[in-house]
Amino acid sequence: MTPIPPLTPYLTVSDAVGAIEFYIKAFNALPDGEPHLMPETGKIMHMRLMVNGSMIMLADDLAAMMGHPPSTPEALGGSPVTLALQFDDVQPVWDSAVAAGATVTMPLADQFWGARYGQLTDPFGHKWSLSQTLKSMSSEEIQSADDAALSKKSTLLAEEAAA
């Protein structure tokens, strides 16, 4: 088994078996050991996956067994956290994630900050951003591009409001 990194996301899901299958299909995740199962229920208490060289851990939602309400993003109405993945070539991973059932929340596109970037939500309610660096930019270049993008957006919104 791989040593646990200093910071590792631990996801609570409504269907750990399905989530493992999704992450393998969507992100080419690799299981790191076998799942630890809850006796009697067969629910997954703990599983480690390697995703793009990083580790995530996950488990079925076991909150009810401890007298707590469900704690999955689905039960909570979403998640405020976005898990960011960086790739040398983002397009094939994006295509795999969408084909595996991810919902596009921000289409993959070239962005003003020098990246090809988009956002997805997996079938279990967790948000992911997928990115590829297209060009390295200084802080000043990014700020200038940001200002231009915001100015363009403001102009478009004003034109729409006037129409």
Side-chain angles (χ1 to χ4, degrees), residues 112 143-159:
F112 68 83
Q143 185 62 56
S144 177
D146 183 27
D147 293 345
L150 288 175
S151 175
K152 182 178 178 181
K153 185 173 185 174
S154 294
T155 300
L156 290 173
L157 290 173
E159 290 172 357

Side-chain angles (χ1 to χ4, degrees), residues 31 44 48-49 52 68 70-71 83 88 94 96 120 129 141 150:
I44 293 179
R48 294 163 41 159
L49 296 171
N52 195 34
H68 302 292
S71 60
L83 301 158
D88 291 332
W94 180 271
S96 293
L120 306 163
S129 69
E141 290 171 316
L150 288 175

Side-chain angles (χ1 to χ4, degrees), residues 31-113:
D32 187 38
E34 297 295 320
H36 300 279
L37 302 177
M38 174 75 75
E40 299 122 25
T41 68
K43 289 189 175 268
I44 293 179
M45 294 172 41
H46 178 74
M47 181 64 187
R48 294 163 41 159
L49 296 171
M50 298 303 295
V51 178
N52 195 34
S54 294
M55 181 180 289
I56 62 169
M57 297 181 193
L58 63 88
D60 277 305
D61 187 2
L62 304 173
M65 297 175 140
M66 294 179 267
H68 302 292
S71 60
T72 66
E74 298 146 313
L76 299 172
S79 172
V81 175
T82 300
L83 301 158
L85 293 171
Q86 180 72 24
F87 298 95
D88 291 332
D89 185 6
V90 71
Q91 191 68 53
V93 181
W94 180 271
D95 293 342
S96 293
V98 171
T103 301
V104 175
T105 55
M106 179 181 178
L108 185 65
D110 294 354
Q111 303 295 335
F112 68 83
W113 60 85

